[in-house]
Amino acid sequence: MHKLLHDLAEGLLAFLGSLVPPALGSIVSMLYDPDLTWGQRATQLWVGVVVSYFVQRAAGAVYPFHPFVLQALGFMLGMVAFKTAPSFITGCATAAGELPGIIRDRLVAFLPAKKEKK
């Protein structure tokens, strides 16, 4: 049991340590835009962290880059994701708002048409 807890703690520390560079990148990006609300800042922070984390892992799996190069790549793409988060969220909200109408129109198109009485 002790080994399991030790391995779990080690994995958790490695996970948290890998989130530090993208979080710092997102925080640095926030300094450039002082007109954000706290909700927008939190959303953009987590978008930057998530994108940076997964891009870093994907690039490391495909290319044998040095870890510092992977961190720089993740930092850069996290900043790009940070800046595009508001327009992405707006686009998703618009698409989600239009989705019920699109589904309704598609379902109605499959229904047989009424025959007119003569």
Side-chain angles (χ1 to χ4, degrees), residues 4-109:
L4 177 66
L5 291 176
H6 176 71
D7 290 344
L8 183 63
E10 185 177 323
L12 183 62
L13 284 175
F15 176 73
L16 292 176
S18 66
L19 290 179
V20 170
L24 291 175
S26 295
I27 289 170
V28 167
S29 297
M30 279 191 244
L31 296 176
Y32 291 117
D33 200 359
D35 298 329
L36 298 175
T37 65
W38 282 105
Q40 290 170 328
R41 288 178 193 269
T43 301
Q44 289 182 331
L45 173 72
W46 286 110
V47 166
V49 167
V50 168
V51 167
S52 177
Y53 179 80
F54 286 109
V55 164
Q56 211 173 352
R57 296 296 181 254
V62 175
Y63 301 107
F65 291 138
H66 190 272
F68 289 121
V69 174
L70 289 173
Q71 285 182 355
L73 182 65
F75 183 87
M76 178 189 68
L77 291 174
M79 288 183 72
V80 170
F82 170 83
K83 286 299 185 185
T84 60
S87 58
F88 177 75
I89 291 169
T90 303
C92 286
T94 302
E98 295 172 354
L99 191 61
I102 292 170
I103 292 173
R104 182 196 65 229
D105 293 343
R106 298 265 175 127
L107 290 175
V108 168

